[in-house]
mmCIF file of all heavy atoms in Angstrom:
data_model
loop_
_atom_site.group_PDB
_atom_site.id
_atom_site.type_symbol
_atom_site.label_atom_id
_atom_site.label_comp_id
_atom_site.label_asym_id
_atom_site.label_seq_id
_atom_site.Cartn_x
_atom_site.Cartn_y
_atom_site.Cartn_z
ATOM 1 N N HIS H 102 -18.731 30.789 15.137
ATOM 2 C CA HIS H 102 -19.200 29.700 14.289
ATOM 3 C C HIS H 102 -20.728 29.692 14.261
ATOM 4 O O HIS H 102 -21.331 29.624 13.172
ATOM 5 C CB HIS H 102 -18.664 28.386 14.832
ATOM 6 C CG HIS H 102 -19.331 27.144 14.281
ATOM 7 N ND1 HIS H 102 -20.487 26.631 14.822
ATOM 8 C CD2 HIS H 102 -19.002 26.361 13.207
ATOM 9 C CE1 HIS H 102 -20.820 25.543 14.132
ATOM 10 N NE2 HIS H 102 -19.967 25.387 13.140
ATOM 11 N N ASP H 103 -21.345 29.822 15.398
ATOM 12 C CA ASP H 103 -22.798 29.789 15.476
ATOM 13 C C ASP H 103 -23.414 30.988 14.761
ATOM 14 O O ASP H 103 -24.407 30.888 14.069
ATOM 15 C CB ASP H 103 -23.251 29.793 16.934
ATOM 16 C CG ASP H 103 -22.882 28.479 17.644
ATOM 17 O OD1 ASP H 103 -22.320 27.583 16.990
ATOM 18 O OD2 ASP H 103 -23.156 28.389 18.870
ATOM 19 N N ALA H 104 -22.765 32.142 14.919
ATOM 20 C CA ALA H 104 -23.229 33.365 14.238
ATOM 21 C C ALA H 104 -23.092 33.191 12.722
ATOM 22 O O ALA H 104 -23.955 33.610 11.933
ATOM 23 C CB ALA H 104 -22.459 34.569 14.694
ATOM 24 N N GLY H 105 -21.979 32.573 12.283
ATOM 25 C CA GLY H 105 -21.756 32.366 10.841
ATOM 26 C C GLY H 105 -22.840 31.476 10.231
ATOM 27 O O GLY H 105 -23.157 31.617 9.052
ATOM 28 N N HIS H 106 -23.407 30.586 11.004
ATOM 29 C CA HIS H 106 -24.465 29.734 10.550
ATOM 30 C C HIS H 106 -25.864 30.335 10.820
ATOM 31 O O HIS H 106 -26.906 29.681 10.620
ATOM 32 C CB HIS H 106 -24.417 28.347 11.222
ATOM 33 C CG HIS H 106 -23.387 27.434 10.674
ATOM 34 N ND1 HIS H 106 -23.424 26.996 9.369
ATOM 35 C CD2 HIS H 106 -22.264 26.900 11.235
ATOM 36 C CE1 HIS H 106 -22.379 26.204 9.158
ATOM 37 N NE2 HIS H 106 -21.669 26.105 10.248
ATOM 38 N N ARG H 107 -25.877 31.531 11.291
ATOM 39 C CA ARG H 107 -27.124 32.267 11.608
ATOM 40 C C ARG H 107 -27.977 31.493 12.628
ATOM 41 O O ARG H 107 -29.200 31.449 12.560
ATOM 42 C CB ARG H 107 -27.952 32.570 10.356
ATOM 43 C CG ARG H 107 -27.324 33.689 9.532
ATOM 44 C CD ARG H 107 -28.289 34.173 8.477
ATOM 45 N NE ARG H 107 -28.109 33.430 7.260
ATOM 46 C CZ ARG H 107 -28.904 33.558 6.174
ATOM 47 N NH1 ARG H 107 -29.904 34.385 6.196
ATOM 48 N NH2 ARG H 107 -28.668 32.856 5.094
ATOM 49 N N GLN H 108 -27.307 30.915 13.616
ATOM 50 C CA GLN H 108 -28.033 30.205 14.666
ATOM 51 C C GLN H 108 -28.522 31.136 15.744
ATOM 52 O O GLN H 108 -29.458 30.804 16.497
ATOM 53 C CB GLN H 108 -27.081 29.176 15.323
ATOM 54 C CG GLN H 108 -26.638 28.049 14.427
ATOM 55 C CD GLN H 108 -25.679 27.110 15.131
ATOM 56 O OE1 GLN H 108 -25.555 27.111 16.376
ATOM 57 N NE2 GLN H 108 -24.956 26.283 14.381
ATOM 58 N N ILE H 109 -27.908 32.290 15.885
ATOM 59 C CA ILE H 109 -28.191 33.175 17.052
ATOM 60 C C ILE H 109 -29.426 34.028 16.816
ATOM 61 O O ILE H 109 -30.423 33.923 17.524
ATOM 62 C CB ILE H 109 -26.957 34.035 17.365
ATOM 63 C CG1 ILE H 109 -25.771 33.122 17.660
ATOM 64 C CG2 ILE H 109 -27.246 34.944 18.551
ATOM 65 C CD1 ILE H 109 -24.466 33.884 17.930
ATOM 66 N N ALA H 110 -29.349 34.905 15.826
ATOM 67 C CA ALA H 110 -30.435 35.841 15.584
ATOM 68 C C ALA H 110 -31.323 35.414 14.411
ATOM 69 O O ALA H 110 -32.500 35.834 14.312
ATOM 70 C CB ALA H 110 -29.883 37.268 15.333
ATOM 71 N N GLY H 111 -30.762 34.583 13.528
ATOM 72 C CA GLY H 111 -31.535 34.182 12.351
ATOM 73 C C GLY H 111 -31.595 35.250 11.270
ATOM 74 O O GLY H 111 -32.293 35.074 10.267
ATOM 75 N N SER H 112 -30.839 36.321 11.461
ATOM 76 C CA SER H 112 -30.797 37.417 10.532
ATOM 77 C C SER H 112 -29.398 37.542 9.945
ATOM 78 O O SER H 112 -28.424 37.520 10.703
ATOM 79 C CB SER H 112 -31.173 38.768 11.205
ATOM 80 O OG SER H 112 -30.729 39.889 10.480
ATOM 81 N N ARG H 113 -29.276 37.646 8.665
ATOM 82 C CA ARG H 113 -27.948 37.696 8.030
ATOM 83 C C ARG H 113 -27.141 38.853 8.598
ATOM 84 O O ARG H 113 -25.955 38.671 8.918
ATOM 85 C CB ARG H 113 -28.089 37.836 6.526
ATOM 86 C CG ARG H 113 -26.782 37.828 5.744
ATOM 87 C CD ARG H 113 -26.986 38.044 4.263
ATOM 88 N NE ARG H 113 -27.822 37.023 3.681
ATOM 89 C CZ ARG H 113 -27.346 35.845 3.244
ATOM 90 N NH1 ARG H 113 -26.045 35.567 3.333
ATOM 91 N NH2 ARG H 113 -28.157 34.924 2.711
ATOM 92 N N ARG H 114 -27.733 40.045 8.628
ATOM 93 C CA ARG H 114 -26.996 41.214 9.078
ATOM 94 C C ARG H 114 -26.615 41.139 10.581
ATOM 95 O O ARG H 114 -25.453 41.366 10.967
ATOM 96 C CB ARG H 114 -27.833 42.483 8.826
ATOM 97 C CG ARG H 114 -27.156 43.761 9.288
ATOM 98 C CD ARG H 114 -27.977 44.985 8.980
ATOM 99 N NE ARG H 114 -27.371 46.196 9.439
ATOM 100 C CZ ARG H 114 -26.388 46.871 8.810
ATOM 101 N NH1 ARG H 114 -25.928 46.400 7.669
ATOM 102 N NH2 ARG H 114 -25.884 47.980 9.315
ATOM 103 N N ALA H 115 -27.592 40.773 11.421
ATOM 104 C CA ALA H 115 -27.337 40.733 12.837
ATOM 105 C C ALA H 115 -26.320 39.628 13.178
ATOM 106 O O ALA H 115 -25.400 39.875 13.998
ATOM 107 C CB ALA H 115 -28.628 40.463 13.599
ATOM 108 N N ASP H 116 -26.441 38.478 12.592
ATOM 109 C CA ASP H 116 -25.504 37.387 12.871
ATOM 110 C C ASP H 116 -24.103 37.755 12.334
ATOM 111 O O ASP H 116 -23.092 37.371 12.947
ATOM 112 C CB ASP H 116 -25.996 36.091 12.311
ATOM 113 C CG ASP H 116 -26.992 35.397 13.223
ATOM 114 O OD1 ASP H 116 -26.763 35.355 14.459
ATOM 115 O OD2 ASP H 116 -28.042 34.894 12.735
ATOM 116 N N TYR H 117 -24.049 38.425 11.194
ATOM 117 C CA TYR H 117 -22.760 38.826 10.686
ATOM 118 C C TYR H 117 -22.061 39.773 11.652
ATOM 119 O O TYR H 117 -20.848 39.609 11.938
ATOM 120 C CB TYR H 117 -22.888 39.498 9.299
ATOM 121 C CG TYR H 117 -21.541 40.053 8.840
ATOM 122 C CD1 TYR H 117 -20.587 39.243 8.272
ATOM 123 C CD2 TYR H 117 -21.278 41.423 9.000
ATOM 124 C CE1 TYR H 117 -19.373 39.758 7.867
ATOM 125 C CE2 TYR H 117 -20.059 41.954 8.608
ATOM 126 C CZ TYR H 117 -19.110 41.101 8.043
ATOM 127 O OH TYR H 117 -17.884 41.632 7.658
ATOM 128 N N LEU H 118 -22.745 40.752 12.163
ATOM 129 C CA LEU H 118 -22.167 41.700 13.110
ATOM 130 C C LEU H 118 -21.723 40.989 14.392
ATOM 131 O O LEU H 118 -20.631 41.293 14.950
ATOM 132 C CB LEU H 118 -23.148 42.818 13.432
ATOM 133 C CG LEU H 118 -23.470 43.783 12.282
ATOM 134 C CD1 LEU H 118 -24.538 44.771 12.663
ATOM 135 C CD2 LEU H 118 -22.196 44.517 11.832
ATOM 136 N N LEU H 119 -22.555 40.071 14.872
ATOM 137 C CA LEU H 119 -22.156 39.303 16.068
ATOM 138 C C LEU H 119 -20.895 38.462 15.760
ATOM 139 O O LEU H 119 -19.973 38.379 16.578
ATOM 140 C CB LEU H 119 -23.318 38.363 16.491
ATOM 141 C CG LEU H 119 -24.494 39.059 17.190
ATOM 142 C CD1 LEU H 119 -25.627 38.070 17.348
ATOM 143 C CD2 LEU H 119 -24.095 39.687 18.507
ATOM 144 N N GLY H 120 -20.888 37.867 14.580
ATOM 145 C CA GLY H 120 -19.716 37.067 14.207
ATOM 146 C C GLY H 120 -18.451 37.920 14.129
ATOM 147 O O GLY H 120 -17.379 37.484 14.472
ATOM 148 N N ALA H 121 -18.577 39.144 13.589
ATOM 149 C CA ALA H 121 -17.446 40.056 13.511
ATOM 150 C C ALA H 121 -16.942 40.426 14.877
ATOM 151 O O ALA H 121 -15.715 40.590 15.096
ATOM 152 C CB ALA H 121 -17.822 41.277 12.706
ATOM 153 N N ILE H 122 -17.842 40.575 15.830
ATOM 154 C CA ILE H 122 -17.431 40.920 17.199
ATOM 155 C C ILE H 122 -16.745 39.734 17.874
ATOM 156 O O ILE H 122 -15.682 39.832 18.468
ATOM 157 C CB ILE H 122 -18.639 41.379 18.027
ATOM 158 C CG1 ILE H 122 -19.147 42.726 17.476
ATOM 159 C CG2 ILE H 122 -18.280 41.500 19.525
ATOM 160 C CD1 ILE H 122 -20.497 43.151 18.055
ATOM 161 N N PHE H 123 -17.413 38.562 17.783
ATOM 162 C CA PHE H 123 -16.848 37.344 18.387
ATOM 163 C C PHE H 123 -15.526 36.916 17.703
ATOM 164 O O PHE H 123 -14.602 36.434 18.385
ATOM 165 C CB PHE H 123 -17.849 36.187 18.307
ATOM 166 C CG PHE H 123 -19.075 36.392 19.079
ATOM 167 C CD1 PHE H 123 -20.332 35.992 18.596
ATOM 168 C CD2 PHE H 123 -19.045 36.961 20.364
ATOM 169 C CE1 PHE H 123 -21.487 36.167 19.362
ATOM 170 C CE2 PHE H 123 -20.194 37.155 21.131
ATOM 171 C CZ PHE H 123 -21.439 36.738 20.617
ATOM 172 N N GLY H 124 -15.487 37.062 16.383
ATOM 173 C CA GLY H 124 -14.341 36.575 15.630
ATOM 174 C C GLY H 124 -13.265 37.646 15.431
ATOM 175 O O GLY H 124 -12.182 37.568 16.027
ATOM 176 N N ASN H 125 -13.563 38.639 14.631
ATOM 177 C CA ASN H 125 -12.545 39.637 14.295
ATOM 178 C C ASN H 125 -12.023 40.394 15.501
ATOM 179 O O ASN H 125 -10.815 40.508 15.735
ATOM 180 C CB ASN H 125 -13.134 40.663 13.313
ATOM 181 C CG ASN H 125 -13.477 40.050 11.968
ATOM 182 O OD1 ASN H 125 -14.279 39.127 11.924
ATOM 183 N ND2 ASN H 125 -12.959 40.568 10.891
ATOM 184 N N LEU H 126 -12.942 40.941 16.316
ATOM 185 C CA LEU H 126 -12.552 41.815 17.398
ATOM 186 C C LEU H 126 -12.028 41.012 18.623
ATOM 187 O O LEU H 126 -11.002 41.364 19.226
ATOM 188 C CB LEU H 126 -13.726 42.689 17.845
ATOM 189 C CG LEU H 126 -13.437 43.715 18.937
ATOM 190 C CD1 LEU H 126 -12.379 44.681 18.467
ATOM 191 C CD2 LEU H 126 -14.719 44.483 19.288
ATOM 192 N N ALA H 127 -12.720 39.981 19.013
ATOM 193 C CA ALA H 127 -12.365 39.272 20.232
ATOM 194 C C ALA H 127 -11.130 38.386 20.087
ATOM 195 O O ALA H 127 -10.302 38.304 20.990
ATOM 196 C CB ALA H 127 -13.548 38.442 20.754
ATOM 197 N N ILE H 128 -11.011 37.677 18.964
ATOM 198 C CA ILE H 128 -9.904 36.705 18.812
ATOM 199 C C ILE H 128 -9.086 36.866 17.560
ATOM 200 O O ILE H 128 -8.100 36.134 17.354
ATOM 201 C CB ILE H 128 -10.437 35.271 18.892
ATOM 202 C CG1 ILE H 128 -11.378 35.006 17.700
ATOM 203 C CG2 ILE H 128 -11.151 35.015 20.202
ATOM 204 C CD1 ILE H 128 -11.826 33.501 17.661
ATOM 205 N N GLY H 129 -9.400 37.857 16.700
ATOM 206 C CA GLY H 129 -8.568 38.104 15.539
ATOM 207 C C GLY H 129 -8.739 37.138 14.386
ATOM 208 O O GLY H 129 -7.802 36.892 13.633
#
Side-chain angles (χ1 to χ4, degrees):
H102 166 273
D103 294 357
H106 282 298
R107 285 193 271 174
Q108 295 178 15
I109 301 177
S112 160
R113 183 183 300 274
R114 180 179 177 81
D116 277 317
Y117 173 79
L118 291 176
L119 288 172
I122 293 171
F123 294 140
N125 296 57
L126 184 59
I128 63 175

